[in-house]
Amino acid sequence: MRADLYRLTATEILTKVQDGEVSVEDYASSLLKRIEARDDAVQAWAYLDPAYVIEQAKALDAIPKSERGPLHGVAVAVKDVIFTKDMPTQFNSPVYTDHAPKVDAGSIMVLRQAGALILGKTTTTEFAATTIGPKTRNPHDPKRTPGGSSSGSGAAVGDFQAPIGLGTQTGGSTIRPGSYNGIYALKPTWNAITREGQKIYSLILDTLGLYARSVEDLELLADTFMIYDDAPALQNFSVKGAKFATLKTMVWPSVGPGTSAAIDKATTLLRENGAEVEEITLPDHLDDLPAWHAVVLASEGRTAFLPEYAVAKDKISPQLVGHVENSDRISRKAQVEAFDKISAARPVVDEILSKYDAVITPSVPDEAPLGIEKTGSAAFCLIWTALHTPVVNVPGFKGENGMPIGLSLVAPRYHDRRLLAVSKKVGEVFEKEGGWTRSI
């Protein structure tokens, strides 16, 4: 057995399994050895049963080739706010310690039917709703956060403990860990992937997100979840001759030197590779998008956490208690205004985005900050969550301390596949010439 099978992308291991070159059991064993070697340093897992992983792998190996699904044997790390019928779902909450509902989320049903190997459950902040970090550490520097709330999935994929991870995003919980861990992350168009069977913070904002170390793997998952655009798949996209824009948005004053330098370098690299790049801004009347997002978040939280408040108020964080008790004193009038203003903003922003192959904007203020107590700022992500647009974090740059920094590529709603095709070619440029190289 090759000892380094764990380093393969999902697309690479899928080919080897399909060709009979590698068994799922050997692949799973390689991943488990990687996890064993790195778990003390990274601590990405909320639940992992190695014996059960091997049992699943053997069962997959026993399936005749003619009956195998499109993800046969591909290992997936699952954020622990998503139900799995054969593993606990605990939400990083004492209210749900050892909680094990015997049901799969809709996303897990799709993955299992496609032949995926559900590896285990990864860490999250409490209910994927707070900024207090779990035990997980950044694989590139254990003194730093991997981001949140999808902390474990981002770290596991970044550390080669899984090729693919599931996250969720209500503010920046998929894209931020993507940047901090130096991997690709897709926040698809809102509700492009079923959210049935996962903890909901905000019905209007929550989006299931995906992690991988290549765009090909994200495309593989997009196929599995039947994410398609109206237009045919984009073929033979080239950076040369393409049209991009950079957008600093209304929260640019919170940017750090690493991300500012990354935007400048990205612009230079794209131009050197034959692309047109211009700088754009959003209309002034959208400057309050972050404030509207905050109103929606707090208002939706009143509903989302009432059940836990009702049965175990003393066991949930003060932030969530505050949502239920409306400690911010948000009126229903203000709530409706925020809902409506965000809704009105979406077609306006779609129209702006549609003029370019992609719009490039920060994923994070800077590289992952020191300390694991806080998961970092979602300031640059949350407006895109509110606007429901697809976003891909593309790695390739680094900060002053050598930590990875990614940039977000954004497109209009339901242009996910076009955005992935563009991100693949842009990623080739950024990874080759952006200055960051993976050291683990």
Side-chain angles (χ1 to χ4, degrees):
M1 181 189 78
R2 281 178 48 187
D4 64 346
L5 291 174
Y6 69 86
R7 299 192 72 89
L8 300 179
T9 66
T11 307
E12 290 168 343
I13 194 63
L14 185 62
T15 299
K16 291 185 179 299
V17 170
Q18 288 174 336
D19 291 346
E21 184 180 337
V22 171
S23 69
V24 180
E25 182 180 358
D26 283 349
Y27 172 54
S29 296
S30 179
L31 288 171
L32 291 171
K33 287 179 180 178
R34 172 66 174 180
I35 293 168
E36 182 181 12
R38 293 284 293 167
D39 191 51
D40 285 347
V42 181
Q43 301 182 52
W45 300 93
Y47 178 85
L48 182 76
D49 181 349
Y52 182 57
V53 171
I54 296 300
E55 180 183 329
Q56 290 183 82
K58 288 180 176 179
L60 287 165
D61 281 330
I63 297 173
K65 285 190 176 182
S66 61
E67 299 175 18
R68 294 180 176 183
L71 289 181
H72 185 82
V74 173
V76 181
V78 179
K79 183 176 181 177
D80 195 29
V81 295
I82 301 169
F83 288 169
T84 43
K85 65 184 179 183
D86 47 5
M87 302 174 188
T89 303
Q90 302 175 91
F91 312 106
N92 190 21
S93 166
V95 180
Y96 292 97
T97 300
D98 298 325
H99 181 65
K102 303 296 184 182
V103 62
D104 274 339
S107 57
I108 303 302
M109 292 172 67
V110 172
L111 291 171
R112 285 197 206 272
Q113 184 62 28
L117 170 64
I118 306 302
L119 198 55
K121 306 300 284 290
T122 54
T123 60
T124 176
T125 64
E126 182 182 2
F127 296 113
T130 71
T131 58
I132 300 171
K135 62 182 181 178
T136 310
R137 299 169 183 272
N138 193 299
H140 305 288
D141 181 351
K143 299 186 296 297
R144 297 175 185 270
T145 178
S149 61
S150 308
S151 309
S153 288
V157 174
D159 196 53
F160 297 91
Q161 297 183 28
I164 285 170
L166 300 188
T168 63
Q169 180 158 311
T170 311
S173 297
T174 295
I175 296 300
R176 182 168 76 256
S179 180
Y180 286 173
N181 292 285
I183 56 177
Y184 289 91
L186 168 65
K187 184 207 79 66
T189 298
W190 175 80
N191 211 33
I193 301 176
T194 175
R195 297 169 296 166
E196 182 181 2
Q198 67 189 58
K199 179 61 178 177
I200 295 296
Y201 187 172
S202 167
L203 279 169
I204 295 172
L205 301 172
D206 284 6
T207 310
L208 193 141
L210 308 172
Y211 292 114
R213 294 189 301 272
S214 74
V215 174
E216 289 85 355
D217 285 5
L218 293 178
E219 290 176 323
L220 186 66
L221 289 170
D223 286 343
T224 302
F225 286 114
M226 299 182 70
I227 301 174
Y228 303 122
D229 302 350
D230 284 343
L234 188 62
Q235 302 291 335
N236 302 316
F237 175 80
S238 174
V239 170
K240 184 176 182 180
K243 187 176 181 180
F244 297 96
T246 58
L247 175 62
K248 295 179 177 178
T249 78
M250 69 290 293
V251 294
W252 182 255
S254 66
V255 79
T259 292
S260 181
I263 289 282
D264 290 343
K265 189 161 191 176
T267 300
T268 299
L269 290 175
L270 291 172
R271 285 175 176 161
E272 288 176 350
N273 281 271
E276 177 185 342
V277 185
E278 61 182 84
E279 186 173 333
I280 62 172
T281 58
L282 292 177
D284 290 346
H285 74 273
L286 300 183
D287 282 352
D288 287 333
L289 266 168
W292 301 335
H293 175 277
V295 169
V296 171
L297 200 65
S299 302
E300 297 269 271
R302 293 174 68 176
T303 305
F305 303 110
L306 178 59
E308 289 76 23
Y309 177 94
V311 302
K313 175 183 174 182
D314 59 325
K315 292 184 178 181
I316 63 175
S317 74
Q319 177 187 338
L320 306 185
V321 171
H323 281 338
V324 176
E325 296 180 349
N326 193 23
S327 60
D328 293 332
R329 299 292 178 260
I330 297 171
S331 68
R332 294 301 189 190
K333 179 182 179 182
Q335 180 180 344
V336 170
E337 285 179 352
F339 287 177
D340 290 349
K341 287 176 178 178
I342 291 174
S343 294
R346 290 180 187 132
V348 172
V349 175
D350 279 348
E351 177 63 25
I352 294 169
L353 298 175
S354 68
K355 298 174 183 177
Y356 306 94
D357 289 296
V359 170
I360 301 166
T361 193
S363 292
V364 291
D366 212 309
E367 60 188 358
L370 285 165
I372 64 168
E373 297 80 14
K374 297 289 186 179
T375 57
S377 169
F380 286 101
C381 305
L382 56 85
I383 68 167
W384 306 112
T385 311
L387 292 166
H388 291 174
T389 60
V391 183
V392 175
N393 176 74
V394 178
F397 304 97
K398 65 179 178 180
E400 293 178 331
N401 297 286
M403 294 292 290
I405 292 177
L407 295 176
S408 287
L409 270 61
V410 188
R413 289 172 292 175
Y414 295 108
H415 288 66
D416 301 63
R417 298 309 295 262
R418 180 180 176 85
L419 182 62
L420 285 171
V422 173
S423 297
K424 184 189 300 183
K425 294 302 182 181
V426 171
E428 290 174 3
V429 173
F430 288 1
E431 288 200 81
K432 181 180 179 182
E433 305 177 59
W436 180 72
T437 55
R438 187 175 281 108
S439 59
I440 53 175

